[in-house]
């Protein structure tokens, strides 16, 4: 390996004692700014090898229970706040959802938040969606975000079981620029999804974010005919199978849902570490 710094060069034999010292010195002195990319990898980045190797493959073995996880967040300190700071800020309509949710004393973590909200908005555009089904409205953050990513003739049908929460969401929708795109249904998600299917409605994106113990039911309904050909199912909070405390019924149910999707030969899927996990599930052609 030949490390070059300015006009000086030094030949180092791989594995020699001076190799490690030179790596540390180069990184400490100039942060690798005068190194080629390959030399920078050798000098400054080798400590990351093990962590990255662990991410290159996955086990095909199913487990009955999720592994222990002693944290209530997926992120190291500063990671999510930094990512959020680098993300497009929320619109006035979306910010109003946050303010009204806090003012009403609702459980704020049920909102998807700025980082995920912008992700949903961009997902609507990236998937060229026109019709979206949002299962689990809460106060409307996800529905509003999706609506902002749709064309003028796009629609978001959103379902909320709790009447008080739905009333807050509906007032926020009516005040927003997206009001014409959003239809709010109140009541059982299972019943509304079945009725929509009976009516022949189909959607480009079906977003699951309601009661976690019923994700499998909602998924099966989506796969029965609610999902349009070429569409995707997006399931939120799927890594709460780690984050929720051990022994929590919903932790186990989310893990069972993840395993159910993983073993479904009809689909392919990816679980993203956005917020508390978002699974994107696509039926195979």
């Amino acid at each position: 390996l030949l490390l070059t710094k300015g006009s000086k060069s030094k030949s180092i034999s791989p594995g020699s004692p001076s190799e490690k010292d030179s790596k540390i010195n180069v990184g400490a002195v100039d942060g690798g700014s005068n190194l080629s990319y390959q030399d920078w990898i050798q000098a400054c980045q080798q400590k990351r090898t093990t962590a990255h190797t662990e991410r290159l493959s996955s086990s095909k073995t199913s487990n009955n229970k999720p592994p222990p996880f002693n944290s209530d967040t997926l992120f190291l300190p500063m990671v999510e706040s930094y990512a959020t700071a680098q993300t497009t800020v929320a619109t006035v309509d979306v910010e109003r959802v946050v303010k009204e949710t806090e003012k009403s004393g609702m459980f704020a973590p049920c909102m998807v938040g700025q980082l995920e909200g912008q992700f949903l908005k961009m997902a609507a555009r990236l998937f060229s969606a026109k019709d979206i089904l949002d299962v689990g409205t809460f106060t409307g953050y996800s529905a509003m975000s999706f609506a902002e990513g749709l064309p003028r003739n796009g629609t978001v049908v959103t379902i909320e079981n709790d009447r008080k929460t739905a009333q807050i969401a509906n007032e926020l929708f009516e005040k927003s620029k997206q009001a014409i795109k959003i239809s709010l249904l109140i009541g059982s998600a299972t019943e509304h999804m079945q009725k929509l299917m009976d009516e022949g409605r189909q959607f480009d994106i079906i977003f699951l974010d309601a009661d976690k113990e019923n994700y499998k039911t909602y998924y099966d309904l989506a796969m029965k005919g609610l999902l349009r050909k070429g569409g995707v199912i997006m399931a939120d909070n799927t890594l709460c199978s780690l984050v929720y405390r051990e022994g929590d019924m919903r932790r186990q149910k989310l893990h069972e849902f993840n395993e159910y999707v993983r073993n479904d030969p009809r689909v392919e899927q990816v679980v993203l570490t956005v917020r508390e996990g978002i699974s994107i599930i696509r039926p195979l052609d």
Side-chain angles (χ1 to χ4, degrees), residues 168-185:
I168 294 171
N170 195 52
E171 290 172 359
L172 289 164
F173 294 151
E174 290 178 348
K175 292 177 183 176
S176 76
K177 294 179 181 179
Q178 309 304 321
I180 195 170
K181 298 179 186 176
I182 303 173
S183 298
L184 174 62
L185 303 178

Side-chain angles (χ1 to χ4, degrees), residues 3 17 49 65 87 100 162 196 203 242 274:
L3 296 183
T49 300
K65 293 184 178 181
T87 297
E100 286 301 315
D162 184 76
L196 287 166
F203 300 89
L242 297 177
V274 176

Side-chain angles (χ1 to χ4, degrees), residues 6-26:
S7 59
K8 297 180 181 180
S9 298
K10 183 177 180 181
S11 181
I12 302 172
S13 300
S16 66
S18 60
E19 181 186 10
K20 182 178 179 182
D21 295 339
S22 296
K23 289 177 181 178
I24 294 172
N25 290 339
V26 170

Side-chain angles (χ1 to χ4, degrees), residues 145-163:
S145 298
F146 274 131
E148 290 181 346
L150 291 177
R152 290 180 181 275
N153 62 342
T155 62
V156 177
V157 176
T158 183
I159 305 171
E160 175 55 47
N161 188 52
D162 184 76
R163 189 163 292 277

Side-chain angles (χ1 to χ4, degrees), residues 55-195:
R55 303 169 195 165
L56 297 179
S57 62
S58 62
S59 170
K60 294 182 179 180
T61 305
S62 295
N63 297 299
N64 292 328
K65 293 184 178 181
F69 187 75
N70 299 316
S71 176
D72 60 0
T73 178
L74 299 175
F75 297 96
L76 295 171
M78 288 301 298
V79 174
E80 190 168 62
S81 58
Y82 178 79
T84 301
Q86 306 306 318
T87 297
T88 300
V89 297
T91 62
V92 172
D93 286 336
V94 172
E95 281 296 327
R96 190 183 296 116
V97 174
V98 176
K99 291 175 183 176
E100 286 301 315
T101 302
E102 293 174 344
K103 180 181 175 181
S104 302
M106 309 294 284
F107 185 59
C110 283
M111 290 184 287
V112 294
Q114 180 187 338
L115 184 67
E116 185 175 350
Q118 181 65 14
F119 175 80
L120 298 181
K121 178 179 177 179
M122 294 185 72
R125 291 178 174 166
L126 290 168
F127 290 123
S128 299
K130 182 181 175 185
D131 301 296
I132 294 175
L133 178 60
D134 175 40
V135 184
T137 313
F138 190 53
T139 51
Y141 203 122
S142 56
M144 194 82 76
S145 298
F146 274 131
E148 290 181 346
L150 291 177
R152 290 180 181 275
N153 62 342
T155 62
V156 177
V157 176
T158 183
I159 305 171
E160 175 55 47
N161 188 52
D162 184 76
R163 189 163 292 277
K164 179 183 175 183
T165 306
Q167 182 178 349
I168 294 171
N170 195 52
E171 290 172 359
L172 289 164
F173 294 151
E174 290 178 348
K175 292 177 183 176
S176 76
K177 294 179 181 179
Q178 309 304 321
I180 195 170
K181 298 179 186 176
I182 303 173
S183 298
L184 174 62
L185 303 178
I186 304 173
S188 162
T190 303
E191 291 176 8
H192 278 301
M193 290 176 77
Q194 184 63 57
K195 185 177 179 181

